[in-house]
Amino acid sequence: MDTQNVWFVTGASKGLGLSLVKQLLNGGYRVAATSRNADELRRAVGTSSDDFLPLAVDLKTESSVADAVEKTVSRFGRIDVVVNNAGYGLVGGLEELSDAEARENFEVNVFGTLNVIRQVMPQLRAQQSGHIFNISSIGGFTGAFPGFGIYCATKFAVEGFSESLSAEAKAFGINVTIVSPGYFRTEFLTSGSLAVPQNPIEAYQTVREVQAAHQQQINGNQPGDPEKAVAALIRVASEANPPLHLFLGQDAYDLAYQKIEAVRNDLETWKDVTVSTGFEPANA
């Protein structure tokens, strides 16, 4: 891939976003990166290279996103690859989580991503080129995780509009890739990235057990190497025909096939009911 390409990465102060920015800069790419706090982002990345543009952005505010995109184009002249990485986890039963808690997760994970898409698309369309990576989760493909219903719903939404975006953007030479990682060893399961219910309900013991497992046993022991994940992303960005769906991790691969087989089983088991719902053909 042309190392003169310009990358625009959200949620870059930690986790996969930070690993990605560092690898890109080490590889000679030009990178605009966003975080809520630009100083924190500068410290995390640890460079003042002319190829690096740190930006303080509130993804929930479209004017803030628009300003960041404008500054990126002003500095580098273009945007080639967009990585919508910003987001946070939310664990809690659907009954436990308040309307405000659920909506806030959607504000960041879904509407924040849509704000970026709306602002970068005019630039990419004008160029007749570009590649948008929307970072989802294996939880955006299968929702079989008690306690992660709202989070999974946000990622299902990302996957749904990303598939439509791919169909819409193809005419302009723009590629779209949905990235669905499994468990990677980042800060995602720490308190700063994983919200919990303000008013837990005692009856939901299964949810509490899942919450405890993620915060205590899984955190720090995830099987995925974030450096390998972002290297895979950079590689896919160089492909002439990149995938729409990119799963990362053996766990994501296995869980995706479990979902596919479960759907296939339901389709075949209930086929008679499924296909019996049409109008009867008119008499000849």
Side-chain angles (χ1 to χ4, degrees), residues 224-251:
D225 181 342
E227 297 302 320
K228 291 181 179 178
V230 299
L233 207 106
I234 295 169
R235 174 191 164 186
V236 167
S238 70
E239 296 291 331
N241 296 296
L244 172 56
H245 294 278
L246 177 65
F247 293 91
L248 294 178
Q250 182 69 51
D251 51 352

Side-chain angles (χ1 to χ4, degrees), residues 50-72:
D50 290 341
D51 290 335
F52 176 50
L53 177 61
L55 297 162
V57 177
D58 175 9
L59 292 177
K60 297 188 294 180
T61 303
E62 192 159 12
S63 59
S64 178
V65 176
D67 183 60
V69 170
E70 183 179 340
K71 286 177 178 175
T72 301

Side-chain angles (χ1 to χ4, degrees), residues 32-273:
T34 83
S35 177
R36 285 170 294 183
N37 186 310
D39 290 334
E40 179 185 317
L41 178 57
R42 287 188 190 91
R43 287 193 295 270
V45 174
T47 182
S48 57
S49 165
D50 290 341
D51 290 335
F52 176 50
L53 177 61
L55 297 162
V57 177
D58 175 9
L59 292 177
K60 297 188 294 180
T61 303
E62 192 159 12
S63 59
S64 178
V65 176
D67 183 60
V69 170
E70 183 179 340
K71 286 177 178 175
T72 301
V73 175
S74 177
R75 171 80 166 265
F76 296 126
R78 59 187 294 117
I79 296 175
D80 297 289
V81 184
V82 177
V83 182
N84 283 304
N85 171 71
Y88 70 95
L90 177 62
V91 58
L94 291 173
E95 182 187 351
E96 294 179 300
L97 292 168
S98 68
D99 179 75
E101 288 171 311
R103 286 179 185 276
E104 182 64 13
N105 206 211
F106 271 86
E107 282 289 342
V108 175
N109 294 4
V110 177
F111 294 106
T113 297
L114 288 170
N115 284 341
V116 174
I117 289 168
R118 275 193 299 272
Q119 294 303 317
V120 299
M121 279 298 293
Q123 178 66 32
L124 302 185
R125 281 193 295 105
Q127 295 169 185
Q128 292 287 293
S129 67
H131 194 157
I132 297 174
F133 287 89
N134 290 333
I135 307 300
S136 178
S137 164
I138 187 57
F141 190 78
T142 173
F145 301 99
F148 281 90
I150 294 298
Y151 175 74
C152 287
T154 68
K155 294 303 186 178
F156 267 72
V158 168
E159 301 223 1
F161 70 62
S162 297
E163 290 185 0
S164 294
L165 177 63
S166 176
E168 294 167 1
K170 193 179 297 291
F172 307 111
I174 302 165
N175 293 313
V176 175
T177 296
I178 304 161
V179 183
S180 300
Y183 289 106
F184 279 82
R185 204 166 299 177
T186 68
E187 300 93 334
F188 183 73
L189 296 179
T190 61
S191 59
S193 297
L194 184 66
V196 298
Q198 293 178 0
N199 298 296
I201 297 173
E202 186 177 350
Y204 283 100
Q205 287 305 305
T206 300
V207 172
R208 292 291 80 73
E209 289 166 6
V210 168
Q211 178 181 328
H214 280 77
Q215 293 175 314
Q216 297 164 23
Q217 284 84 48
I218 298 174
N219 186 31
N221 295 300
Q222 299 96 321
D225 181 342
E227 297 302 320
K228 291 181 179 178
V230 299
L233 207 106
I234 295 169
R235 174 191 164 186
V236 167
S238 70
E239 296 291 331
N241 296 296
L244 172 56
H245 294 278
L246 177 65
F247 293 91
L248 294 178
Q250 182 69 51
D251 51 352
Y253 180 92
D254 293 342
L255 286 165
Y257 267 107
Q258 286 179 26
K259 168 69 177 282
I260 290 167
E261 289 305 314
V263 172
R264 190 196 313 275
N265 182 65
D266 282 348
L267 279 169
E268 296 310 317
T269 300
W270 295 94
K271 180 180 178 180
D272 288 347
V273 173

